[in-house]
Amino acid sequence: NSTAPEREQPMTPIQQLSKVTLGLATLFLASASLAAAQDGPSVGLEWRSSKFANRLWIVDKLAGGEEGVPDEAYVQAWTKVNPFSPQDRQHLQRYLVIRQRIADTKAAPEGPELLTHEPTPGERFLLAGLAASSSRDFANRLRLKPEEGKAIDKTFTHFRARLNKFIEKAEYLSGAHQQLQSLSDKVKLKSYLGRAAEFFGSRDRVQGPLAVDIVFAPEGTRPPVVLVGSHIVLPCTPETASSESQPHTLAAVVHEACHFFVSRLSRKTRVAVLGKTVARLGVINPSHPNVLEEATCTAIGNMAFLRESFPKAPLPNLFHPYEPTAEHPHAIDTLARRLEFAANRG
């Protein structure tokens, strides 16, 4: 008796994603691979630990940022030595009202954010502060109404002495700045970023240096490194600044630089990537839908960079966090491992 052949089981979305990711990823490439992108100009990188950027970051965390929810770790660290007064709360509320008005100036991008885009109004608010030298410079860069400019200036004047004292106690910040800059020069990070920009096909569209802003973070926390326009904000704790963590800290900086390179892709390339991704797969992990971009940035920014620049550094079990609430919690880490092999072929 002959038996009927087993029916081929339809692929799950994550299997489909795995199958087509390498093909889609080639849409990013200007060269055949990261390994082949050896020559060409580097990407500038400016390490900064600006006093005003630190003041802005802390005030923004205490006030609640774009979402209006104060960061509990920052609040606890601050109030441990500076209990809030009614005047403190009034100034933070005034700051928050201006912050949220600017964030609501334009509607949010429609649909799922599958690729990093130009800065939102809320991000431009932070970007102006990161580039500013003072509260008045900050207000001028935002082109605020006169009364709003005065309110911003009064807020930072009100907190200034306590903020300076608070930041000065974090003595590790200046050391982290010097050590990370020295280590990045040693491993020729600017050259690696040039190759990464070529890999993504956006080297010619990157103008001026990227800035890495080292800012205070409460001890014992692990806040993420974040991209704000052409600034990479590195919240720094004593753990982040330790010699054991520095290779991984630099890798996190490279990861965010890769997101910046994606944001600089031409509209034609972005449309092609988005069109093919959605047509073949729909939207994977709606709560964190930029799976392809995250996997590629993890492969180039974390895996390939660490293996090449710090071959003796211990590697984490997961290069990208497991996301328990996502449809496919392991998708980004799994795909990044496959992409890293493809990126370094040749």
mmCIF file of all heavy atoms in Angstrom, residues 67-94:
data_model
loop_
_atom_site.group_PDB
_atom_site.id
_atom_site.type_symbol
_atom_site.label_atom_id
_atom_site.label_comp_id
_atom_site.label_asym_id
_atom_site.label_seq_id
_atom_site.Cartn_x
_atom_site.Cartn_y
_atom_site.Cartn_z
ATOM 1 N N GLU A 67 5.864 61.829 27.073
ATOM 2 C CA GLU A 67 4.672 61.103 27.520
ATOM 3 C C GLU A 67 4.082 61.677 28.802
ATOM 4 O O GLU A 67 2.978 61.294 29.205
ATOM 5 C CB GLU A 67 5.028 59.625 27.741
ATOM 6 C CG GLU A 67 5.566 58.918 26.510
ATOM 7 C CD GLU A 67 4.578 58.911 25.362
ATOM 8 O OE1 GLU A 67 3.366 58.787 25.639
ATOM 9 O OE2 GLU A 67 5.011 59.064 24.203
ATOM 10 N N GLY A 68 4.816 62.557 29.471
ATOM 11 C CA GLY A 68 4.301 63.148 30.697
ATOM 12 C C GLY A 68 4.366 62.244 31.910
ATOM 13 O O GLY A 68 3.673 62.479 32.909
ATOM 14 N N VAL A 69 5.221 61.207 31.857
ATOM 15 C CA VAL A 69 5.355 60.268 32.971
ATOM 16 C C VAL A 69 6.773 60.377 33.529
ATOM 17 O O VAL A 69 7.732 59.965 32.868
ATOM 18 C CB VAL A 69 5.091 58.815 32.521
ATOM 19 C CG1 VAL A 69 5.233 57.857 33.707
ATOM 20 C CG2 VAL A 69 3.708 58.691 31.888
ATOM 21 N N PRO A 70 6.947 60.935 34.724
ATOM 22 C CA PRO A 70 8.297 61.071 35.291
ATOM 23 C C PRO A 70 8.996 59.728 35.406
ATOM 24 O O PRO A 70 8.357 58.700 35.672
ATOM 25 C CB PRO A 70 8.033 61.683 36.674
ATOM 26 C CG PRO A 70 6.725 62.386 36.537
ATOM 27 C CD PRO A 70 5.913 61.539 35.591
ATOM 28 N N ASP A 71 10.301 59.724 35.183
ATOM 29 C CA ASP A 71 11.108 58.509 35.311
ATOM 30 C C ASP A 71 11.368 58.258 36.791
ATOM 31 O O ASP A 71 12.051 59.041 37.455
ATOM 32 C CB ASP A 71 12.420 58.689 34.547
ATOM 33 C CG ASP A 71 13.239 57.413 34.468
ATOM 34 O OD1 ASP A 71 13.589 56.874 35.545
ATOM 35 O OD2 ASP A 71 13.527 56.959 33.357
ATOM 36 N N GLU A 72 10.835 57.168 37.311
ATOM 37 C CA GLU A 72 10.875 56.919 38.750
ATOM 38 C C GLU A 72 12.299 56.810 39.275
ATOM 39 O O GLU A 72 12.604 57.270 40.383
ATOM 40 C CB GLU A 72 10.097 55.642 39.078
ATOM 41 C CG GLU A 72 9.829 55.434 40.559
ATOM 42 C CD GLU A 72 9.048 56.581 41.185
ATOM 43 O OE1 GLU A 72 8.166 57.163 40.510
ATOM 44 O OE2 GLU A 72 9.340 56.913 42.352
ATOM 45 N N ALA A 73 13.207 56.208 38.509
ATOM 46 C CA ALA A 73 14.592 56.065 38.964
ATOM 47 C C ALA A 73 15.258 57.434 39.119
ATOM 48 O O ALA A 73 15.986 57.680 40.090
ATOM 49 C CB ALA A 73 15.386 55.195 37.997
ATOM 50 N N TYR A 74 15.020 58.341 38.166
ATOM 51 C CA TYR A 74 15.578 59.694 38.261
ATOM 52 C C TYR A 74 14.935 60.462 39.413
ATOM 53 O O TYR A 74 15.618 61.201 40.137
ATOM 54 C CB TYR A 74 15.383 60.447 36.944
ATOM 55 C CG TYR A 74 16.386 60.097 35.872
ATOM 56 C CD1 TYR A 74 16.236 58.958 35.092
ATOM 57 C CD2 TYR A 74 17.490 60.909 35.629
ATOM 58 C CE1 TYR A 74 17.153 58.630 34.101
ATOM 59 C CE2 TYR A 74 18.415 60.604 34.647
ATOM 60 C CZ TYR A 74 18.242 59.451 33.884
ATOM 61 O OH TYR A 74 19.162 59.126 32.904
ATOM 62 N N VAL A 75 13.617 60.306 39.574
ATOM 63 C CA VAL A 75 12.921 60.997 40.659
ATOM 64 C C VAL A 75 13.480 60.552 42.015
ATOM 65 O O VAL A 75 13.746 61.383 42.896
ATOM 66 C CB VAL A 75 11.404 60.733 40.586
ATOM 67 C CG1 VAL A 75 10.703 61.248 41.853
ATOM 68 C CG2 VAL A 75 10.806 61.397 39.345
ATOM 69 N N GLN A 76 13.688 59.248 42.185
ATOM 70 C CA GLN A 76 14.210 58.745 43.454
ATOM 71 C C GLN A 76 15.625 59.251 43.706
ATOM 72 O O GLN A 76 15.968 59.658 44.830
ATOM 73 C CB GLN A 76 14.191 57.217 43.458
ATOM 74 C CG GLN A 76 12.799 56.623 43.584
ATOM 75 C CD GLN A 76 12.823 55.102 43.656
ATOM 76 O OE1 GLN A 76 13.871 54.486 43.777
ATOM 77 N NE2 GLN A 76 11.651 54.501 43.577
ATOM 78 N N ALA A 77 16.469 59.228 42.677
ATOM 79 C CA ALA A 77 17.853 59.697 42.841
ATOM 80 C C ALA A 77 17.878 61.189 43.177
ATOM 81 O O ALA A 77 18.680 61.632 44.014
ATOM 82 C CB ALA A 77 18.643 59.429 41.554
ATOM 83 N N TRP A 78 17.002 61.967 42.549
ATOM 84 C CA TRP A 78 16.972 63.411 42.773
ATOM 85 C C TRP A 78 16.413 63.757 44.150
ATOM 86 O O TRP A 78 17.014 64.522 44.906
ATOM 87 C CB TRP A 78 16.148 64.089 41.680
ATOM 88 C CG TRP A 78 15.981 65.559 41.862
ATOM 89 C CD1 TRP A 78 14.901 66.219 42.402
ATOM 90 C CD2 TRP A 78 16.928 66.587 41.546
ATOM 91 N NE1 TRP A 78 15.098 67.579 42.418
ATOM 92 C CE2 TRP A 78 16.346 67.834 41.894
ATOM 93 C CE3 TRP A 78 18.201 66.576 40.986
ATOM 94 C CZ2 TRP A 78 16.993 69.048 41.710
ATOM 95 C CZ3 TRP A 78 18.854 67.792 40.797
ATOM 96 C CH2 TRP A 78 18.262 69.003 41.153
ATOM 97 N N THR A 79 15.262 63.194 44.482
ATOM 98 C CA THR A 79 14.594 63.564 45.730
ATOM 99 C C THR A 79 15.311 63.020 46.962
ATOM 100 O O THR A 79 15.055 63.476 48.075
ATOM 101 C CB THR A 79 13.132 63.094 45.742
ATOM 102 O OG1 THR A 79 13.076 61.675 45.503
ATOM 103 C CG2 THR A 79 12.328 63.816 44.671
ATOM 104 N N LYS A 80 16.201 62.073 46.758
ATOM 105 C CA LYS A 80 17.004 61.581 47.877
ATOM 106 C C LYS A 80 17.844 62.706 48.471
ATOM 107 O O LYS A 80 18.106 62.738 49.679
ATOM 108 C CB LYS A 80 17.901 60.434 47.393
ATOM 109 C CG LYS A 80 18.633 59.690 48.488
ATOM 110 C CD LYS A 80 19.379 58.503 47.909
ATOM 111 C CE LYS A 80 20.108 57.735 48.995
ATOM 112 N NZ LYS A 80 20.831 56.551 48.446
ATOM 113 N N VAL A 81 18.271 63.632 47.635
ATOM 114 C CA VAL A 81 19.093 64.765 48.109
ATOM 115 C C VAL A 81 18.410 66.110 47.900
ATOM 116 O O VAL A 81 18.816 67.115 48.478
ATOM 117 C CB VAL A 81 20.479 64.771 47.407
ATOM 118 C CG1 VAL A 81 21.306 63.596 47.851
ATOM 119 C CG2 VAL A 81 20.321 64.776 45.889
ATOM 120 N N ASN A 82 17.350 66.125 47.068
ATOM 121 C CA ASN A 82 16.638 67.377 46.760
ATOM 122 C C ASN A 82 15.130 67.137 46.786
ATOM 123 O O ASN A 82 14.507 67.010 45.720
ATOM 124 C CB ASN A 82 17.040 67.903 45.372
ATOM 125 C CG ASN A 82 18.510 68.249 45.261
ATOM 126 O OD1 ASN A 82 18.966 69.198 45.866
ATOM 127 N ND2 ASN A 82 19.242 67.467 44.486
ATOM 128 N N PRO A 83 14.522 67.044 47.941
ATOM 129 C CA PRO A 83 13.060 66.839 47.991
ATOM 130 C C PRO A 83 12.342 67.935 47.206
ATOM 131 O O PRO A 83 12.726 69.106 47.240
ATOM 132 C CB PRO A 83 12.749 66.927 49.491
ATOM 133 C CG PRO A 83 14.040 66.589 50.167
ATOM 134 C CD PRO A 83 15.128 67.123 49.287
ATOM 135 N N PHE A 84 11.300 67.551 46.483
ATOM 136 C CA PHE A 84 10.553 68.512 45.679
ATOM 137 C C PHE A 84 9.820 69.517 46.564
ATOM 138 O O PHE A 84 9.168 69.153 47.549
ATOM 139 C CB PHE A 84 9.514 67.800 44.803
ATOM 140 C CG PHE A 84 10.089 67.137 43.588
ATOM 141 C CD1 PHE A 84 9.630 65.891 43.183
ATOM 142 C CD2 PHE A 84 11.059 67.760 42.822
ATOM 143 C CE1 PHE A 84 10.129 65.277 42.050
ATOM 144 C CE2 PHE A 84 11.574 67.150 41.682
ATOM 145 C CZ PHE A 84 11.107 65.902 41.299
ATOM 146 N N SER A 85 9.914 70.792 46.196
ATOM 147 C CA SER A 85 9.115 71.841 46.817
ATOM 148 C C SER A 85 7.951 72.161 45.882
ATOM 149 O O SER A 85 7.971 71.775 44.704
ATOM 150 C CB SER A 85 9.965 73.098 47.028
ATOM 151 O OG SER A 85 10.278 73.682 45.767
ATOM 152 N N PRO A 86 6.935 72.879 46.366
ATOM 153 C CA PRO A 86 5.845 73.290 45.463
ATOM 154 C C PRO A 86 6.354 74.092 44.264
ATOM 155 O O PRO A 86 5.856 73.936 43.149
ATOM 156 C CB PRO A 86 4.949 74.144 46.366
ATOM 157 C CG PRO A 86 5.193 73.616 47.744
ATOM 158 C CD PRO A 86 6.663 73.244 47.767
ATOM 159 N N GLN A 87 7.372 74.925 44.491
ATOM 160 C CA GLN A 87 7.935 75.713 43.384
ATOM 161 C C GLN A 87 8.620 74.802 42.357
ATOM 162 O O GLN A 87 8.532 75.044 41.148
ATOM 163 C CB GLN A 87 8.940 76.746 43.921
ATOM 164 C CG GLN A 87 8.317 77.862 44.744
ATOM 165 C CD GLN A 87 8.018 77.434 46.186
ATOM 166 O OE1 GLN A 87 8.467 76.374 46.637
ATOM 167 N NE2 GLN A 87 7.260 78.265 46.899
ATOM 168 N N ASP A 88 9.300 73.770 42.853
ATOM 169 C CA ASP A 88 9.925 72.816 41.934
ATOM 170 C C ASP A 88 8.874 72.204 41.011
ATOM 171 O O ASP A 88 9.057 72.121 39.783
ATOM 172 C CB ASP A 88 10.604 71.683 42.706
ATOM 173 C CG ASP A 88 11.835 72.132 43.474
ATOM 174 O OD1 ASP A 88 12.367 73.216 43.171
ATOM 175 O OD2 ASP A 88 12.268 71.380 44.373
ATOM 176 N N ARG A 89 7.785 71.763 41.594
ATOM 177 C CA ARG A 89 6.732 71.108 40.809
ATOM 178 C C ARG A 89 6.105 72.075 39.810
ATOM 179 O O ARG A 89 5.773 71.690 38.674
ATOM 180 C CB ARG A 89 5.673 70.528 41.747
ATOM 181 C CG ARG A 89 6.214 69.426 42.659
ATOM 182 C CD ARG A 89 5.104 68.768 43.468
ATOM 183 N NE ARG A 89 5.647 67.839 44.437
ATOM 184 C CZ ARG A 89 6.021 66.586 44.163
ATOM 185 N NH1 ARG A 89 5.910 66.135 42.918
ATOM 186 N NH2 ARG A 89 6.494 65.800 45.103
ATOM 187 N N GLN A 90 5.950 73.335 40.199
ATOM 188 C CA GLN A 90 5.393 74.320 39.272
ATOM 189 C C GLN A 90 6.295 74.525 38.068
ATOM 190 O O GLN A 90 5.829 74.572 36.921
ATOM 191 C CB GLN A 90 5.185 75.653 40.009
ATOM 192 C CG GLN A 90 4.032 75.659 41.000
ATOM 193 C CD GLN A 90 3.962 76.941 41.797
ATOM 194 O OE1 GLN A 90 4.725 77.883 41.553
ATOM 195 N NE2 GLN A 90 3.041 76.999 42.759
ATOM 196 N N HIS A 91 7.593 74.633 38.307
ATOM 197 C CA HIS A 91 8.533 74.826 37.202
ATOM 198 C C HIS A 91 8.574 73.601 36.287
ATOM 199 O O HIS A 91 8.619 73.746 35.055
ATOM 200 C CB HIS A 91 9.930 75.127 37.750
ATOM 201 C CG HIS A 91 10.128 76.552 38.166
ATOM 202 N ND1 HIS A 91 10.229 77.576 37.261
ATOM 203 C CD2 HIS A 91 10.242 77.115 39.401
ATOM 204 C CE1 HIS A 91 10.402 78.718 37.905
ATOM 205 N NE2 HIS A 91 10.407 78.475 39.205
ATOM 206 N N LEU A 92 8.548 72.417 36.856
ATOM 207 C CA LEU A 92 8.543 71.198 36.037
ATOM 208 C C LEU A 92 7.262 71.109 35.216
ATOM 209 O O LEU A 92 7.297 70.685 34.048
ATOM 210 C CB LEU A 92 8.692 69.961 36.926
ATOM 211 C CG LEU A 92 10.058 69.778 37.586
ATOM 212 C CD1 LEU A 92 10.027 68.585 38.550
ATOM 213 C CD2 LEU A 92 11.169 69.574 36.549
ATOM 214 N N GLN A 93 6.142 71.523 35.791
ATOM 215 C CA GLN A 93 4.880 71.480 35.059
ATOM 216 C C GLN A 93 4.884 72.476 33.900
ATOM 217 O O GLN A 93 4.411 72.165 32.799
ATOM 218 C CB GLN A 93 3.714 71.773 36.014
ATOM 219 C CG GLN A 93 2.341 71.714 35.364
ATOM 220 C CD GLN A 93 2.026 70.358 34.751
ATOM 221 O OE1 GLN A 93 2.487 69.322 35.244
ATOM 222 N NE2 GLN A 93 1.256 70.356 33.675
ATOM 223 N N ARG A 94 5.425 73.666 34.124
ATOM 224 C CA ARG A 94 5.505 74.652 33.033
ATOM 225 C C ARG A 94 6.381 74.137 31.898
ATOM 226 O O ARG A 94 6.064 74.300 30.718
ATOM 227 C CB ARG A 94 6.051 75.976 33.565
ATOM 228 C CG ARG A 94 5.083 76.743 34.450
ATOM 229 C CD ARG A 94 5.750 77.925 35.107
ATOM 230 N NE ARG A 94 4.879 78.546 36.117
ATOM 231 C CZ ARG A 94 5.331 79.251 37.133
ATOM 232 N NH1 ARG A 94 6.638 79.445 37.286
ATOM 233 N NH2 ARG A 94 4.485 79.785 38.002
#
